[in-house]
Amino acid sequence: MRRLLFAFLSGGLFGAGLFLSGMTDTTKVQGWLDVFGDWDPTLAFVMGGAIIPMAIAWRIAAGRRTSLLGSPLPGRSKAHVDAPLVVGSVIFGAGWAMAGLCPGPAIASLSYGGWRGLLFLVAMTGGMVAAPPLKAWLAAA
Amino acid sequence: MHTDWIWGLCGGLMIGLAGSVYLLWNGRIMGASGILGGLIDGQGRDTANERLAFLGGTVAIPAVLALFTPGVSTHLTGNVAVVVLAGLLVGIGTRIANGCTSGHGVCGISRLSLRGIVATVFYILSGGLVMAVLRHLLEIV
């Protein structure tokens, strides 16, 4: 039960942060990617602001054997930089620029994003269903 | 407009705090595409309740904030084909790369993960390039 409470709390903070920072506004995200136009620096402040507490949290986690609720802490990923990482990120970046939405803000804006926001979420979910076979094919190639 | 960076920084700190709670209490990495994607492709079946609690918070708190924010909008494009294609690319790309702006960007960079840094460089480069083509060459977004 406490795990669910903290998961909800974390999700709520995440949503509030995305909302207040303006990251659910696609014009701000597209403005940040538009280096040849009227460049909007907001996203850099959001990223920088998010990385500071997170870096402290990783330092605290490094000194602990388990999480505060007793579960194992995530270790270093065994995966290296590989083709799926690079190809997937390039595909994601293209979609991110087209609509100005990444997964977090797409979810956080569900209540006020209208039917087109919902359509984006449905398409994104469809992409997530299609991804595992594509990834297997890419890993074998 | 000139206060946007302050809201960006404050919202960013909240996003970092959200990731810190999810790491230190739940022992998990806060990545929006992974939390949702694991529910969709079944990889996260054992932790489905925790994922749903997180996503519930991500949707619910902005919904409350939106009630007190007149005129809130994602300003998502009216071009339905762009919305669908962008959603598909974001869904496929983030699952192939195993992370998005929150997982690779915030949580990866803050622990100096090479995979997180490489993914972030590639989705920003790809996003900037696609933005330049779509906005300044084709003029469709």
Side-chain angles (χ1 to χ4, degrees):
Chain A
M1 195 59 214
R2 280 199 299 167
R3 292 190 68 84
L4 299 187
L5 187 70
F6 280 99
F8 183 85
L9 179 72
S10 171
L13 271 169
F14 181 55
L18 289 169
F19 182 92
L20 294 174
S21 64
M23 290 299 101
T24 65
D25 183 346
T26 59
T27 56
K28 296 203 76 60
V29 175
Q30 290 186 320
W32 190 76
L33 289 170
D34 187 14
V35 285
F36 299 108
D38 186 15
W39 190 62
D40 184 331
T42 309
L43 192 143
F45 286 96
V46 181
M47 263 288 177
I51 284 171
I52 296 164
M54 201 60 222
I56 297 169
W58 281 118
R59 292 295 294 270
I60 296 170
R64 296 186 57 91
R65 295 182 59 183
T66 63
S67 77
L68 290 159
L69 296 179
S71 52
L73 285 159
R76 285 257 162 206
S77 170
K78 291 177 291 292
H80 300 288
V81 172
D82 52 13
L85 182 80
V86 172
V87 174
S89 294
V90 168
I91 294 171
F92 162 45
W96 190 36
M98 284 177 74
L101 283 176
C102 51
I107 297 162
S109 63
L110 180 65
S111 61
Y112 54 90
W115 67 269
R116 278 174 285 128
L118 189 63
L119 185 64
F120 181 91
L121 263 181
V122 170
M124 184 175 91
T125 306
M128 287 178 166
V129 173
L134 280 170
K135 188 174 182 177
W137 175 79
L138 197 67
Chain B
M1 274 302 174
H2 56 275
T3 58
D4 281 7
W5 68 272
I6 300 175
W7 285 107
L9 191 63
C10 292
L13 287 168
M14 290 176 79
I15 294 167
L17 210 57
S20 303
V21 168
Y22 211 46
L23 175 67
L24 294 175
W25 271 270
N26 292 61
R28 304 189 61 84
I29 294 173
M30 184 193 75
S33 58
I35 292 170
L36 177 62
L39 280 175
I40 288 165
D41 63 22
Q43 284 180 23
R45 205 173 289 126
D46 300 342
T47 50
N49 288 342
E50 189 176 50
R51 290 163 190 267
L52 287 169
F54 179 92
L55 295 174
T58 308
V59 172
I61 302 304
V64 173
L65 292 173
L67 290 177
F68 302 99
T69 317
V72 63
S73 169
T74 57
H75 299 114
L76 185 60
T77 174
N79 188 329
V80 172
V82 169
V83 170
V84 170
L85 182 58
L88 278 171
L89 292 175
V90 168
I92 291 170
T94 53
R95 290 307 279 160
I96 289 181
N98 214 15
C100 58
T101 347
S102 44
H104 280 317
V106 175
C107 296
I109 291 177
S110 60
R111 76 191 303 203
L112 299 176
S113 150
L114 184 62
R115 277 175 61 83
I117 293 166
V118 168
T120 303
V121 165
F122 275 97
Y123 64 67
I124 287 176
L125 281 178
S126 165
L129 192 70
V130 168
M131 195 68 211
V133 171
L134 294 183
R135 180 161 289 177
H136 299 289
L137 287 177
L138 304 176
E139 298 178 355
I140 57 169
V141 297

